Amino acid sequence: MELTGVWRIQHFDVGQKRPMEVASAYLDDRFWITAQVPGDVHSALIERNIIENPYFGHNDAKSLWIEQKEWWYRTQFDFVKQEGSGHKHELVFEGLDTFATIYVNGLEIGTTDNMLMAHTFDVTKIVNNGKNSIAVKFDPLYLHNRDKEQFQWSSYTKERPWLRKAAMNFGWDWGPRMVTVGIWGKVRLESHRMAKLESVFAHTVSVDESEAVINIDLQVTSFAKDQDLVCEVKLLSKDGLIIESEQLPIDNLTGSVEMVVLSPQLWWTHDLGEPYLYEIEVTLIANDEQVDTYRKPFGIRTIELQLKDAQDQHSFAFVINGVKLFAKGSNWIPADNFIGAIPDQRYRDLIALSVDSNMNMLRVWAGGIYEKDVFYEECDRRGVLVWQDFAFANALFPEFNRNFMNNVRDEVVYAVKRLRNYASLALWCGNNEIDWLYDMKSAAGDITSPFYGEKIYHELIPEVLEQFDTSRAYWPSSPYGGNDANDPDVGDRHNWQVWHGSVYPRKFGDVPLLDYSIEGVTFKNYKKDFTLFSSEFGMHASANRYTLEKNIPAGQFYWGSVEMAYRNKDTNHQKGILLMEGYTGIPQNIEEYMNFSMLTQAEGLKYGIEHYRRNKQRISGSLVWQHNDSWPGTSWSLIDYELLPKASFYYAKKFYHPLLLSIDHEPGQSLDVWVVNDRVESYRGEVKLTVYDFTGNEIYTTLLAAEVPSNGAIKLGSLTEAEVLQGRAAEEVVVRLTAVGWEAPDNLYYLRDQKDLRMPATALQVEVDADEQSVTITAQGSLARMVKLDLPQGNIRFSDNFFDLLPGEQATVRISDPLGKKVALAELRVSALNDVFPDTAE
Ligand code: BMA
């Protein structure tokens, strides 16, 4: 039974009230504020207009008082109590943020100190048949960390190391400080009789064409002596047909069964096949009576992390059902700063967008939470793999404290047991950047203390996984492996040369260097990177106009305003300017800032990812930093807070497409034409390379034969600049690759940086069809660069956006709402970078 009745909240100063008074079942709380559960205090106060929307302007600073208060939640519920021996009633909180004391019918039943796990209390004796009350007191965090040892390193705030709470709550380089408090997960009263299924662990042991072997381990808790316990385990097809069924006795409260599934339908990532989901049903029978059931989707697949290839060379490649996978994806941060209040639909939308942009992996980054079930359910359903970090980010942690370590152990056990049945879960990873940055900061002299926390990633977590999940790989940190931990030759790597100007190569102990120059931060540095797996890299791009205008006070929506600067939480704002200076030139107004930053990010990621993919023999993955935003800010995200994709998202549809045509070229050098194929099928056809000037004249064309190997990359040929230019200037042409006789997306390639291209102005002819919900655009006279469709509305979809059009060519873009509502098109704006009527409205 989920407790979804009316919850009320109130705050007090610390010490103002005696807890027993506020917790009393008889307290008159009529004048308290009603609040959603799951949710949080901020969201409840926003909903009731008690605080102004903290995402607007500088309003976040006005809600800081919330952190200083003691907050209480109260509710009442009716319960029909089954009494008698063998009955057990448990109160389960899926998420308490963070230091909570819980009272049931006025009795204190326990305290909690970890936001990142569920908490269960036995209330068998104290829950009433009839009316009941629950009260939960949340302490302000400062009571729990002000007297604790501070560490030399804890990024963004020194408060974090002792608190098991989402790190990003305290602010990060892409989001504001929003220290949430409240009941952020579901609350349930679970009633059991005789016994319950404590856990079910289902995993695939092996697969081949004819059969799969799966294993199911059961753990039971019994509430009565001398019981005859039996489990019935069934594997059902998607249509509910029983594929396998076994009865097994439960001895010593555990049971294990192996099932052989003939002609199995495997779970694949969506780019390689169908993410087929069976269902596992377990029924627990105590003394011939059904007492508990478990029913969850289950995907049959094997997933391995290959660290050595066939030639015994280092590699870092995921292998799914025996197929080596190039991981294409991005890094996931919490989908809102107010995590408890995120609607499930927002997860579905963001994961659908990852599939739309041809991603097959998301990394749940360590500075957030172990995501909600809906996230993994959706990844299972859509065929997107998950790289799961444990929640340790950019800090030292008090591993010398027994209570802290016990708390961490409970959290890790809980996370592993909750998530291990998801087919999408590909990897456990110990932390974000801690091993790497500990060395960098020690070398720089910023840290002199021992590596506090090391024991968690190198002992505690491996021990827990040894006991609870040996079915998938563990990687101690990201990045990890080699010398230093960000070594291109071993393990995974974060490329922060680009954007942050970090200087590489570097070895352990070297003082880290930064190069803040155009050459230091440019995305051209991606081509120097022959990592085995690029698990973080990226560049900022502006949010879309609607997202910014909605959240910026009147008169502040201009390039260089203090409010625009406030949206950007990164250090040294000059980095983004340098990056644009190198590629588009420095923007002069807000429209140019939005366009130039988006184009630089999109072209920069394309440049890097096409390089990584061409080298797929060695490089096996690219995860862009970052997928989404937690507030309407300026960041590395591909999709902004209002769920409006940036240009890079539309580019990703092509640069992450399983079949990629690309050109490897630098100014003055020859053009190497490549095809990358991530599919298991091989292809045969041709690739046409055509060079056009910007008014659409064909200057040169050639056909290259393409024998495209299964799951491989191949160079089709090489052409000199002189040959393809036929006497024209490199600044005046665009090259197009097209597949002939087979299907692969086109690729447009410019031989020089945007700022150096001599692009005449163009005029767009735009025809809007409101009934069809589409718009048809034609470029007149000259190529249109970065055709942009803009609507003042969040969470809508364009079938394409931010694309280039050759003169005379026509594009029809469909516009839709993910929930199927009709989209008003009256305010649609269509522009291009080189539009004859430049859109400089501020
Ligand atoms: C890495 C991430 C995040 C950060 C990003 C951008 O360090 O792990 O901590 O937000 O780069 O700086």
Side-chain angles (χ1 to χ4, degrees), residues 172-174 365 394 432-433 494 496 500 536 625 636:
W172 212 262
D173 57 1
W174 36 258
W365 167 78
N394 307 56
N432 179 63
E433 295 186 341
H494 293 186
W496 288 119
H500 285 312
E536 270 192 25
W625 184 269
W636 297 261

Side-chain angles (χ1 to χ4, degrees), residues 580-683:
M580 288 186 281
E581 190 177 351
Y583 184 67
T584 54
I586 299 176
Q588 301 301 322
N589 56 49
I590 191 97
E591 190 70 24
E592 278 192 358
Y593 163 66
M594 291 189 290
N595 289 341
F596 288 6
S597 62
M598 282 206 205
L599 187 67
T600 305
Q601 184 200 41
E603 290 286 349
L605 292 176
K606 174 178 190 252
Y607 183 93
I609 288 165
E610 288 183 349
H611 155 77
Y612 289 144
R613 293 189 60 191
R614 283 192 294 266
N615 290 285
K616 69 177 278 175
Q617 204 50 37
R618 172 183 169 90
I619 303 173
S620 298
S622 67
L623 304 178
V624 176
W625 184 269
Q626 66 203 65
H627 189 60
N628 55 319
D629 271 334
S630 68
W631 85 306
T634 303
S635 80
W636 297 261
S637 71
L638 303 182
I639 302 159
D640 75 21
Y641 177 74
E642 293 291 344
L643 301 188
L644 295 176
K646 302 179 181 179
S648 52
F649 166 88
Y650 295 96
Y651 272 55
K653 289 186 176 204
K654 289 187 174 181
F655 66 58
Y656 271 160
H657 191 281
L659 296 171
L660 170 73
L661 312 182
S662 78
I663 294 178
D664 183 11
H665 161 259
E666 291 304 317
Q669 294 173 10
S670 56
L671 289 76
D672 293 349
V673 180
W674 283 79
V675 182
V676 178
N677 173 18
D678 287 348
R679 295 203 176 122
V680 180
E681 303 84 56
S682 54
Y683 295 85

